Amino acid sequence: MFSRYRKLNEKDSIKYIKEKMDVFGEDENLISREIGDGNINYVYKISSKDSKFSVIVKQADKILRSSGRELDTDRIRIEAEAMMHQGRCKEGMVPKIYLYDEIMHAIIMEDLSEYEIMRKSLLENNIYKNFAENISSFIVDTSLATTDLVIDPMDKKKMMKNFISPEICEISERLVFTEPYFDIDDNTYEKENEQFIRENLYKNSKLHLEVGKLKNEFMTNAQALIHGDLHTGSIFVKGDKIKVIDSEFSFFGPIGYDLGNIVANLFFIKIRNYLLKDNSREFDRWLTGTVESTVDLFKEKFLDYLVVNTKDKILKSPDFHQWYLNKVMEYTSGAAGLEVIRRVIGSAKVEDFEGLEDKDIKSSAERIAVKFAVELILRRSSIKKGLDYIKVFERVIEEEI
Amino acid sequence: MFSRYRKLNEKDSIKYIKEKMDVFGEDENLISREIGDGNINYVYKISSKDSKFSVIVKQADKILRSSGRELDTDRIRIEAEAMMHQGRCKEGMVPKIYLYDEIMHAIIMEDLSEYEIMRKSLLENNIYKNFAENISSFIVDTSLATTDLVIDPMDKKKMMKNFISPEICEISERLVFTEPYFDIDDNTYEKENEQFIRENLYKNSKLHLEVGKLKNEFMTNAQALIHGDLHTGSIFVKGDKIKVIDSEFSFFGPIGYDLGNIVANLFFIKIRNYLLKDNSREFDRWLTGTVESTVDLFKEKFLDYLVVNTKDKILKSPDFHQWYLNKVMEYTSGAAGLEVIRRVIGSAKVEDFEGLEDKDIKSSAERIAVKFAVELILRRSSIKKGLDYIKVFERVIEEEI
C-alpha cells in the first residue's frame, strides 16, 4: 500500500504503521497526532489507546512549505544513517530506529514523550547535572570515530560519499556564514540596534575576514561526521539522560562546529536570565559550570579517546593530538560566535530571546549577544578552555552596564 | 565484441580501435605497441602504416602486476573525467580524449609522440622557456575553478562525490606521508647515509609532527580538484607547449600539493647538475629562474583569477584572498619537501638520482635533498615566494660543502 511515495496524514500514518510494523495488534485502537513544528518534515506520534506504547513517524516533505521550493528528500536517509552511526557509537543517546523506509522517505522511531526539549526546559530553569558529561561524550565518541586518525581512511572516504549533502549544507552556508553579515531583509532585530548591527556586523571587515575563514573551513574540512545542527532544540532531556535528534544536517565537517553550537545555545539562556534578573543562583551556578565543564570534559575525553584509538602511526603522537585538539577548540569558539549571531539577527530565532517582551531588555540582549559573539570569532585562537568563555562573557557584560 | 571487460593485448587493441572509432579506414594497416612503463595500466600506441595518424589506448588493469593485489579500475574513470575537466579549463594542455569506455576501463586519446617526457628532457638539460608560464596557468585554472569561491558549492559537492578515490588516495597517504618516516624495508638509500636518515627522518619527532599536520590536511582539506601526482614524469613538453597526463590520482585536495610537486621535481635536476658540475650555465640560470617564476607567476595568477571569478560574497575580499593564498603557499612548501623525501628514499625513485653512478655523488645528493626537504617542511610558513626556495637550497649547499 505504501510502495510509492506519498505524503502521509494523521489517518494514513496509522495504516502505515500497521502495515510496516507489528508492534501494535491488528485491532488495537491507535491515535495519530502531527507534532512537528518545522516546515520541511512531518512528525506523527502514533499511540495506542489500549497499551501505553507509542512510536514516532518522521516523514520528509518534498517541498519547503513556507516557500514551495523543492527539497531533496535524501536528507532523511542521511538523518537515519547518521542516527544509526550515533547509536552504534553512543548507545542510548539517540532514539531507537525501528525502520527507515527509503520509499516513503520516513523513519519510524522511538517516541520520546517522557523527555523534554532542552531549550524549553532551560527556559524553566531546570537543571541537568549530567548534561556536560553526556554531551561531551556524545560529540567525542560520535565524531572522532569517523576521523582519519581512527577509522580506516578508505572506509572513511566511502562513508563520506554517503554523507555528501549539497542542499542541506547550502542552508547552513547561507544562514550561518553569509546572511547575518549583509544588510538583507531577512535579518531582523530591535530598531534601536540598527546602527549597532551595521557597525558590528555589516561593516566590520575584520569580522568578515574571520567569518570567511570559518566558512571556508566549514566547506572544505571533511574532518568527521558531525551532527551539523546541535542546538538545545535538537536535544531531549530527562533526568540524567539525553537523546539527540534531528541529524539531517549531518555531513563530514569540522568537529568544533557541534561543540560551538552547544556552547552558543547555553549562552542564550544565560544572557536572558542575566537581564531578567529573576534566575535562581543555583541555576546560574549550574549553567556557568556546565559551560565550563562541557568544554573541559570535551577536551579531556577527546585526548583520551585519541590516545586509545588512533591507528595512523604518524598521527599518533601526543604533540599531534594536542595540535589537532587546539584546532578543534579554535573552531569551537568561532562556531559558537557564528551561531549566536545567526540566532540573534538571522531568520532562525530562539525562544530565549524572542520571549523577551520588554523592548529595552530585548535590545540589550541582542547587543550583549553580538558583542560576545564577535569576541568569540575574532579572539578564537586564545579561547581554549571553558573558563575563557565565561571571562569573555563577563567582560562584555561589564562594558554593557 | 568488447562488450565485457577483458585485458587488451597489442593485437586486440587494433581490433578494439577499429570497432570503437572510425579514424582509421577498415583496410588501413595498423600496428600496435605497448609503450606503458607502469605496472597498473597498459598503454598501446596504435599507428597507421599508411597515414601518419596514431592514437593511444590506455587501459586500467584489474591487478597490480608487481604484487598481484586487486586494484579498483574506477581510477581510469577518474582520470578520464579529470582530463575532461582540465581540458575544459585549459584547452590544449591535456591530450584530447576521443573516447572513454567504462566497460573496457579504457581511454582512447591523442598520441603525443612528438612530445617528450619532461623529466627525460631535463636530464638532457633542455630548456623550456615557457614552462613556468604554462604550468602556473594550468594549476591555477584547473584547480581554482573547483573551489567553493568559484564554483557553485552545491555543484562542487556533487562533483566531489564523483572524485572520491579511496584506494588511490591510500597509496599517496602511505608512500608520501608515512613510509619515508619509518624504518621499513621499502626505504632504500646509500648505505653511508644510514645514520643520517635515521636522525633526520626516522627519529625526527619535530618533523613527524609537521608531516602529520600535512597528512591530516591532505586527508581532510577538500579544497579543489587537483591532479594529485604532478611530477615532471607526468608532463609532456614540446617547444613552448606542455601536455599534462596521468590524472588518475585526481581528487579534492589541497592545491599546494600540485605546485609543491612541481617545485620538488625541478630541484632533483638542480641537485644532480650541481653535483655533476657539468651543467651549462644557461640551463642552470633557466632552471633557477623557472623555480622562481613558477611560484611567483602562480601567486600572481592565483589572485588575479580569484578577483575575477569569486562568487561567494563573504569570500570575495582581497584580505581573504591573500590569506587563502598564504595557506596554499605554506602547503606548497610542505608538499615539495614531502615529495623530495619520498622520491629519495621511498619506493618510487627518480631517474635524476638513480642515474648517478658515483656512490659519493649519489649519497651527497641524498643528503642535500633530505636536508633541503626537511627545511621546506619545518619552515614552510616562512617560504612564501620563488626566491625563498632558492635561498633555502643555497644555504643547504653551503652547509654540505
Side-chain angles (χ1 to χ4, degrees), chain B residues 20 47 58 70 75 237 248 266 285 291 377:
Chain B
K20 293 292 175 187
S47 17
K58 179 171 183 177
E70 264 194 59
R75 67 185 186 279
V237 279
E248 59 203 302
L266 293 174
R285 247 199 323 268
V291 168
I377 293 171

Side-chain angles (χ1 to χ4, degrees), chain B residues 248-351:
Chain B
E248 59 203 302
F249 281 75
S250 270
F251 76 112
F252 274 79
I255 297 171
Y257 190 74
D258 277 354
L259 182 60
N261 270 304
I262 291 292
V263 172
N265 281 278
L266 293 174
F267 272 100
F268 292 129
I269 183 72
K270 190 158 175 62
I271 295 170
R272 175 192 166 92
N273 280 357
Y274 166 78
L275 290 169
L276 290 180
K277 295 177 172 57
D278 69 354
N279 54 313
S280 77
R281 283 221 185 149
E282 195 197 347
F283 180 80
D284 191 58
R285 247 199 323 268
W286 168 77
L287 189 59
T288 306
T290 294
V291 168
E292 285 187 42
S293 47
T294 296
V295 173
D296 297 340
L297 286 171
F298 172 87
K299 292 175 65 178
E300 215 180 292
K301 292 174 186 177
F302 188 99
L303 291 178
D304 287 350
Y305 188 100
L306 290 184
V307 169
V308 177
N309 295 296
T310 303
K311 293 196 188 64
D312 187 311
K313 58 185 177 176
I314 207 148
L315 308 180
K316 231 178 168 28
S317 72
D319 282 354
F320 180 78
H321 289 170
Q322 189 59 54
W323 171 82
Y324 192 74
L325 172 60
N326 291 349
K327 288 275 152 195
V328 171
M329 295 321 295
E330 195 177 319
Y331 203 85
T332 297
S333 177
L338 291 161
E339 169 74 357
V340 167
I341 289 170
R342 75 105 164 197
R343 294 288 187 181
V344 171
I345 81 152
S347 51
K349 301 268 198 281
V350 289
E351 183 54 24

Side-chain angles (χ1 to χ4, degrees), chain A residues 157 173 215 220 222 312, chain B residues 157 161 173 215 220 222 312:
Chain A
K157 290 181 188 77
E173 289 158 15
K215 182 176 187 179
T220 55
D312 187 310
Chain B
K157 290 180 188 78
K161 210 170 190 164
E173 289 158 14
K215 182 175 188 180
T220 55
D312 187 311

Side-chain angles (χ1 to χ4, degrees), chain A residues 305-342:
Chain A
Y305 188 100
L306 290 184
V307 169
V308 177
N309 295 296
T310 303
K311 293 198 188 63
D312 187 310
K313 58 185 178 176
I314 207 148
L315 308 180
K316 231 179 168 25
S317 73
D319 282 354
F320 180 77
H321 288 170
Q322 190 59 54
W323 171 82
Y324 192 74
L325 172 60
N326 290 349
K327 288 276 152 196
V328 171
M329 295 321 295
E330 195 177 319
Y331 203 85
T332 297
S333 177
L338 291 160
E339 169 74 357
V340 167
I341 289 170
R342 75 106 164 197

Side-chain angles (χ1 to χ4, degrees), chain B residues 207-223:
Chain B
L207 182 68
H208 284 203
L209 173 60
E210 300 308 318
V211 172
K213 294 178 190 175
L214 292 162
K215 182 175 188 180
N216 181 64
E217 184 163 344
F218 186 82
M219 295 168 105
T220 55
N221 182 6
Q223 183 174 29

Side-chain angles (χ1 to χ4, degrees), chain A residues 82-94:
Chain A
M83 275 172 78
M84 291 185 241
H85 161 76
Q86 291 153 356
R88 280 190 298 270
C89 295
K90 214 62 222 169
E91 220 199 309
M93 284 207 190
V94 286

Side-chain angles (χ1 to χ4, degrees), chain A residues 153-166:
Chain A
M154 290 202 269
D155 293 336
K156 182 206 170 198
K157 290 181 188 77
K158 288 171 201 159
M159 192 174 174
M160 243 178 87
K161 211 170 191 163
N162 237 357
F163 282 98
I164 285 181
S165 190

